[in-house]
Amino acid sequence: MIKRFKVYIYPDGDPNTFFQTPRKLTGKYASEGYFFQNIRESFFHTHDPKEADMFFIPLSCHKMRGKGTSYEKMALIVRGYVEMLIQKYPFWNRTLGADHFFVTCHDVGVRATENVTFLVKNSIRVVCSPSYNVGFIPHKDVALPQILQPFALPRGGDDIENRTILGFWAGHRNSRIRVVLARLWENDTVLSISNNRISRATGQLVYQKQFYRSKFCVCPGGSQVNSARIADSIHYACVPVILSDYYDLPFSDILDWRKFSIILREEDVGNLKTVLQEVTDEQYKALHCNLRRVQRHFEWHTPPIKYDAFHMVMYELWLRHHTVKYR
């Protein structure tokens, strides 16, 4: 793949307005920003569209949101931009967009593009909110992990003996499953479940240090199915407990999530403690060992390095380009 796979990036669009590289590589747009930067500095980037296997549409919708643009106006801008590319270049019409993709790591981008039907149906969406009950198409679209970098503390390691808390979650009640989770388990003496993020007033990096002390970290969906807490859990070597229905997990075409996480349906939240207590020591050691093996896949670097998040996304795209049929 590294030697043969090539991507052409459309050069059109004013980088000082809506398109090209996002403005920062931190916060909730970090994955989007890193991908934009990584693709340009990688061996996959080609300036010759004739040798390209895929075409990257460099939409960065969060810049529009930063300018106060309404979602309706965003959709018109996106539609106009893509229609301009279709008219200017011959490549979209060869496959009706099946070998084209765009990247967005926030619901801003999803909402800005969801009404551009031909873009959503035909091209590959690389998104951080891959909910397959609201338009995400598994095996066509790609689930992008939401990773908030830089991490505050180093990777978790071979430290099982220090993990004395069975399960941990602290966050806001911004979804139904989080409301139920807090209501059921907030006062439990075995699980550490808190209705709010741990205040900085309690000490420096107390929230992050809880990941080091916990065997399992509960990852309920928030306003979207995804949560940056999953990547945090992986980084700190706390086995994630996925508690989000309709979530197509990142890199699921490559990784077997059941080997390094616990996946529950939201309706099973009432059995959370029982499920975690029934995991034997040997089973937990295997989960934890496998978790450490996948940590490198959930990190961004610039320039990118082998097996990091960027290369995982590119491999997902590589798998899809084999199914494209040219007219």
Side-chain angles (χ1 to χ4, degrees), residues 130-142:
S131 178
Y132 53 82
N133 71 327
V134 290
F136 182 86
I137 304 175
H139 309 301
K140 177 184 83 73
D141 298 331
V142 175

Side-chain angles (χ1 to χ4, degrees), residues 101-129:
F101 70 95
F102 66 96
V103 176
T104 182
C105 195
H106 198 261
D107 59 339
V108 170
V110 173
R111 292 185 64 182
T113 57
E114 62 185 357
N115 290 324
V116 187
T117 307
F118 67 92
L119 177 66
V120 171
K121 283 186 63 176
N122 295 3
S123 68
I124 298 168
R125 296 192 299 166
V126 184
V127 296
C128 282
S129 51

Side-chain angles (χ1 to χ4, degrees), residues 138-209:
H139 309 301
K140 177 184 83 73
D141 298 331
V142 175
L144 185 68
Q146 187 176 14
I147 305 172
L148 305 187
Q149 289 188 220
F151 293 105
L153 295 169
R155 278 185 189 177
D158 187 12
D159 52 5
I160 292 178
E161 67 281 357
N162 299 326
R163 298 181 178 274
T164 57
I165 300 172
L166 177 64
F168 165 63
W169 176 76
H172 301 300
R173 299 190 189 192
N174 60 348
S175 67
R176 186 193 66 83
I177 183 58
R178 292 186 178 198
V179 170
V180 175
L181 174 66
R183 186 176 70 240
L184 289 176
W185 299 110
E186 189 171 13
N187 297 316
D188 192 80
T189 57
V190 177
L191 299 175
S192 177
I193 304 296
S194 175
N195 180 32
N196 292 295
R197 288 288 291 264
I198 298 173
S199 172
R200 294 179 181 178
T202 61
Q204 189 174 14
L205 301 177
V206 172
Y207 172 75
Q208 289 82 0
K209 290 175 182 177

Side-chain angles (χ1 to χ4, degrees), residues 299-313:
E299 296 175 353
W300 294 97
H301 301 274
T302 180
I305 63 176
K306 284 185 177 181
Y307 308 112
D308 67 357
F310 172 72
H311 282 87
M312 294 292 282
V313 174

